Amino acid sequence: QVQPVESGGGLVQAGGSLRLSCVASGRGFSRNAMGWYRQPPGKQRELVAAIHMGGGTKYADSVKGRFTISRDNAKNTVYLQMNSLKAEDTAVYYCNEGGIFNSGTYIANVRSWGRGTQVTVSS
């Protein structure tokens, strides 16, 4: 497995919850920073959350208090728990493996994107 694989997307009503999963390559996963991005229809891809190998996290202002990123190194998996979903959260969500996470900033690894999973929130 070279590329990460996302799952868990779907259709929910506003106020509902979803948990996204990303199974990573397993190649040095425990030392890799991980990121979740999303791309709404007609918009640019944006960082949603990132987690450092040591457990530190970063969130976009728009999702703080609603989304939680976590990782399970034994399963080579990173999660994105999404609560209190809003219509504006509708997007394709992408997992990124092995980016650079320094000084509270996550820079994507362009060689390790998942194919994405669709999240649709109805109002």
Side-chain angles (χ1 to χ4, degrees), residues 109-120:
N109 176 6
V110 299
R111 297 172 296 179
S112 190
W113 287 104
R115 292 183 176 181
T117 185
Q118 176 71 49
V119 172
T120 302

Side-chain angles (χ1 to χ4, degrees), residues 33-36 47-52 55-59 69 101 105-106:
M34 304 289 295
W36 281 102
L47 179 68
V48 176
I51 185 165
H52 191 268
T57 58
K58 174 184 175 62
Y59 296 94
I69 188 171
F101 194 172
T105 300
Y106 183 84

Side-chain angles (χ1 to χ4, degrees), residues 38-122:
R38 68 185 181 187
Q39 187 164 18
K43 303 291 186 179
Q44 294 182 327
R45 189 173 300 186
E46 63 182 4
L47 179 68
V48 176
I51 185 165
H52 191 268
M53 61 178 289
T57 58
K58 174 184 175 62
Y59 296 94
D61 289 341
S62 59
V63 307
K64 286 181 179 178
R66 299 189 298 120
F67 290 11
T68 303
I69 188 171
S70 62
R71 65 192 298 160
D72 185 340
N73 289 342
K75 297 181 178 180
N76 295 335
T77 301
V78 63
Y79 304 96
L80 185 68
Q81 178 66 46
M82 305 185 295
N83 298 325
S84 302
L85 283 162
K86 305 174 180 179
E88 51 263 44
D89 295 319
T90 295
V92 178
Y93 284 71
Y94 297 91
C95 179
N96 185 260
E97 179 181 6
I100 300 172
F101 194 172
N102 290 317
S103 301
T105 300
Y106 183 84
I107 305 298
N109 176 6
V110 299
R111 297 172 296 179
S112 190
W113 287 104
R115 292 183 176 181
T117 185
Q118 176 71 49
V119 172
T120 302
V121 183
S122 61

